[in-house]
Every structure is written in C-alpha cells, then in structure tokens.
Amino acid sequence: MMEISFESQGKYKDIAVDEVGTFTAVPKPGGAMIGKGNGVIMSRDGEVASWAGSGIGKSGQGGRMSWRGAVFYQTTSQGKLAPLNNAVLVFEYDVDAEGNSTEKAWEWK
C-alpha cells in the first residue's frame, strides 16, 4: 500500500481554491491500483469543503498514471462553495512522466 499526501491549487468553476489531501493506493493484479482518499478545498476568502473519494488507477509509459473515480463533497458554506454540499463529482486525474497533474471533474446529478 502507498500513502500520498498532497497540496494543489486550481479552480472550482471560476473560484481559486487550494486543496490538501491524502490518499492510499493498493496495487492489484494486472497493473491497476485501487485508491481512496480524503481532504479539503479552501477558497481564498476562507470557505471550506471536505471531500472523500475513490477510484481506479492505471499506469502508462514512463511513469504516467491515469485515475478515474468519484468524489463526494460536504460543506456548511453559504457562499461560493455552497453548490458542493452533498455533491458527487466523477473525475479524470492524469499524471505525466514529469509528475505534472491535471484533473477534470463533472457533477453527477
């Protein structure tokens, strides 16, 4: 089992957010990994939403990884992050050979 903690910056809609989280990944036969994690995103004006999620990762050439899964959000925010309360997002998370990552997510309604 691997455990990874991370910090990242990005956008939720047009809102700048910082994210911290931890996830664990367990290798499975055939090269896939099963992962689960939790963390928080924070807007620059102090709003917070927590998340928990899971997914499956597949490795590619040169250390690339491709993850697909779902994340479940909770927040008491009444502001910009309020739409995340009880939201379910499906995601694509890709890491290139240099360790750079990109994430795309869509709300599952």
Side-chain angles (χ1 to χ4, degrees):
M1 178 187 313
M2 297 184 302
E3 181 174 289
I4 299 168
S5 295
F6 65 91
E7 296 180 21
S8 64
Q9 295 78 40
K11 289 191 175 191
Y12 164 68
K13 299 196 176 185
D14 286 326
I15 304 161
V17 294
D18 296 311
E19 180 177 23
V20 295
T22 299
F23 73 92
T24 57
V26 178
K28 296 295 180 183
M33 300 184 90
I34 302 296
K36 63 180 179 177
N38 55 45
V40 296
I41 65 168
M42 300 159 284
S43 69
R44 302 284 161 81
D45 57 359
E47 294 182 49
V48 177
S50 62
W51 59 264
S54 61
I56 187 166
K58 297 178 182 177
S59 58
Q61 287 183 302
R64 293 178 174 91
M65 282 295 294
S66 178
W67 289 88
R68 303 296 183 260
V71 179
F72 308 92
Y73 285 89
Q74 296 259 307
T75 184
T76 57
S77 170
Q78 299 297 309
K80 297 174 186 174
L81 296 183
L84 284 175
N85 194 39
N86 297 317
V88 179
L89 279 69
V90 292
F91 69 85
E92 296 178 351
Y93 184 83
D94 296 303
V95 182
D96 69 18
E98 289 78 39
N100 302 304
S101 63
T102 58
E103 180 179 17
K104 295 178 184 176
W106 300 268
E107 185 173 4
W108 188 2
K109 295 185 178 190

